[in-house]
Amino acid sequence: VWGRTIGDSNMEARGSLQLAITARSLQAYYLYTSDNKIQPANFISNKVAGILFDNKIDYTTYFGANTEFIHGIHMLPLMPSSTLTRTQKFIREEWEAYFSNGRANAVKGGWKGVLFANLAIIDPKKSWDFFTDPNFDVDWLDGGASRTWYLTLAAGL
């Protein structure tokens, strides 16, 4: 974006290349769709790595083993380029496996907001409705996020 803003096409191209490499790497090594051929087949259903070491994957985080922690940390930061790294196919599979049928609604604290902001990539209306609900609880916002930002993200998608 900065390259385009200042009219530097080479910088813009480098930025695009960096985003493409990041997206492809994350999709192969951290975010697993059902057709992933890189990771062991018995791990693909986890959908995310958790902690990825040089030669080990541990489906957890350093701060807890709750499903919303393991998946939510891979959602952050949520920004426009998240649509490049977190494909709609991936989010649909992850949502269906871990957060559908009211499971996301049962999540407590700021991770709930992270989940519903991420949902905007595949269902902006449902995300928007969550953040504009008259009974919205600000405790559902992660400390690094705002309701305004999540509404902007949903509106832009």
Side-chain angles (χ1 to χ4, degrees):
V1 174
W2 180 246
R4 180 175 293 175
T5 302
I6 64 171
D8 185 338
S9 60
N10 288 327
M11 180 184 286
E12 183 179 357
R14 284 191 305 273
S16 294
L17 177 63
Q18 288 173 330
L19 277 174
I21 291 169
T22 299
R24 190 168 181 171
S25 298
L26 287 172
Q27 292 160 13
Y29 299 107
Y30 284 92
L31 310 173
Y32 314 138
T33 54
S34 56
D35 58 355
N36 182 295
K37 303 292 186 221
I38 304 294
Q39 299 299 341
N42 63 339
F43 207 82
I44 301 302
S45 64
N46 288 342
K47 297 297 171 202
V48 298
I51 302 170
L52 181 61
F53 298 93
D54 287 337
N55 60 356
K56 176 184 174 186
I57 301 173
D58 198 353
Y59 185 67
T60 190
T61 68
Y62 291 107
F63 49 88
N66 292 13
T67 301
E68 65 269 22
F69 298 173
I70 299 166
H71 290 262
I73 197 65
H74 290 295
M75 296 173 187
L76 298 175
L78 281 158
M79 54 191 167
S81 64
S82 296
T83 60
L84 298 174
T85 56
R86 299 181 63 78
T87 65
Q88 290 188 358
K89 177 181 179 178
F90 168 76
I91 295 171
R92 279 190 191 93
E93 288 183 16
E94 180 185 43
W95 190 267
E96 186 59 35
Y98 292 99
F99 303 114
S100 64
N101 300 318
R103 290 175 286 179
N105 289 319
V107 170
K108 307 287 185 221
W111 291 108
K112 187 172 191 172
V114 170
L115 297 179
F116 278 92
N118 175 70
L119 182 63
I121 296 172
I122 60 168
D123 193 344
K125 176 151 181 17
K126 189 169 184 177
S127 178
W128 176 270
D129 291 347
F130 172 80
F131 289 107
T132 59
D133 188 300
N135 297 315
F136 183 83
D137 185 342
V138 294
D139 288 338
W140 297 337
L141 292 173
D142 171 65
S146 71
R147 192 175 185 186
T148 302
W149 170 241
Y150 286 159
L151 285 168
T152 301
L153 183 67
L157 296 171

